[in-house]
């Protein structure tokens, strides 16, 4: 079971509109839901245990993350519409979802999501002073 399912999208889009946009193709919906999950994982990976977060299903899912994922998925679905269709509301909700994910990424917002185990840094950063222009 995926973290976001087609039934979850009903909170943000009418089922008739969803079916009209996707042509009743559930594989398109599943793919877009997986893309939304992948986008959310990229923001949360550094600080949170994304494997356990997105492995949840049914009522165990974090409802805030579910709502953000639904907003992202609906924006991606509505982006498939014909050119010239006004999607301002969906774009605003997408932008809001991304800004909240960025705040979670920087730990600016409190969340009860499971934290990632602290790991020791294994890479080394090498820097030097700027080159001076010495002329002889």
């Amino acid at each position: 079971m995926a973290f976001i399912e087609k039934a979850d999208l009903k909170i943000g889009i009418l089922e008739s509109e969803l079916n009209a946009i996707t042509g009743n193709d559930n594989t398109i919906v599943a793919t877009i839901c997986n893309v939304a999950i992948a986008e959310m994982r990229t923001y949360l990976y550094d600080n949170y245990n994304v494997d356990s977060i997105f492995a949840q299903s049914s009522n165990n899912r974090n409802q805030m993350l579910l709502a953000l994922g639904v907003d992202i998925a609906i924006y991606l679905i509505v982006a498939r519409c014909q050119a010239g269709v006004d999607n301002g509301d969906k774009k605003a909700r997408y932008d809001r979802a991304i800004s909240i994910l960025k705040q979670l990424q920087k730990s600016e917002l409190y969340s009860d999501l499971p934290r990632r185990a602290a790991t020791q840094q294994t890479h080394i950063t090498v820097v030097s002073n700027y080159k001076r222009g010495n002329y002889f």
Side-chain angles (χ1 to χ4, degrees):
M1 260 185 138
F3 185 77
I4 303 171
E5 300 171 354
K6 183 177 179 178
D8 299 324
L9 300 178
K10 293 178 185 177
I11 63 174
I13 190 170
L14 296 174
E15 189 171 2
S16 59
E17 292 175 349
L18 179 64
N19 290 334
I21 294 171
T22 61
N24 288 329
D25 190 355
N26 289 334
T27 58
I28 293 173
V29 175
T31 301
I32 289 177
C33 288
N34 288 336
V35 169
I37 292 169
E39 187 170 351
M40 291 172 49
R41 287 176 71 99
T42 60
Y43 286 105
L44 300 175
Y45 181 78
D46 288 339
N47 297 326
Y48 300 99
N49 187 351
V50 293
D51 293 331
S52 68
I53 291 171
F54 294 108
Q56 302 294 322
S57 62
S58 189
N59 293 332
N60 297 332
R61 300 175 290 186
N62 183 294
Q63 296 303 308
M64 182 187 73
L65 275 185
L66 179 62
L68 296 176
V70 166
D71 286 341
I72 293 170
I74 288 174
Y75 174 74
L76 296 173
I77 288 170
V78 172
R80 297 187 75 239
C81 285
Q82 295 177 349
V85 176
D86 183 25
N87 299 325
D89 177 52
K90 304 301 183 211
K91 175 67 174 154
R93 291 178 66 139
Y94 172 81
D95 290 339
R96 179 183 168 275
I98 295 301
S99 70
I100 290 174
L101 288 172
K102 286 181 181 179
Q103 289 175 340
L104 285 171
Q105 179 184 32
K106 296 176 185 174
S107 296
E108 293 175 353
L109 288 178
Y110 169 77
S111 72
D112 57 351
L113 299 172
R115 287 279 182 177
R116 186 176 185 76
T119 58
Q120 186 175 357
Q121 186 176 6
T122 57
H123 63 279
I124 299 172
T125 304
V126 178
V127 296
S128 64
N129 294 333
Y130 292 108
K131 182 178 177 183
R132 294 185 291 180
N134 294 338
Y135 298 98
F136 296 97

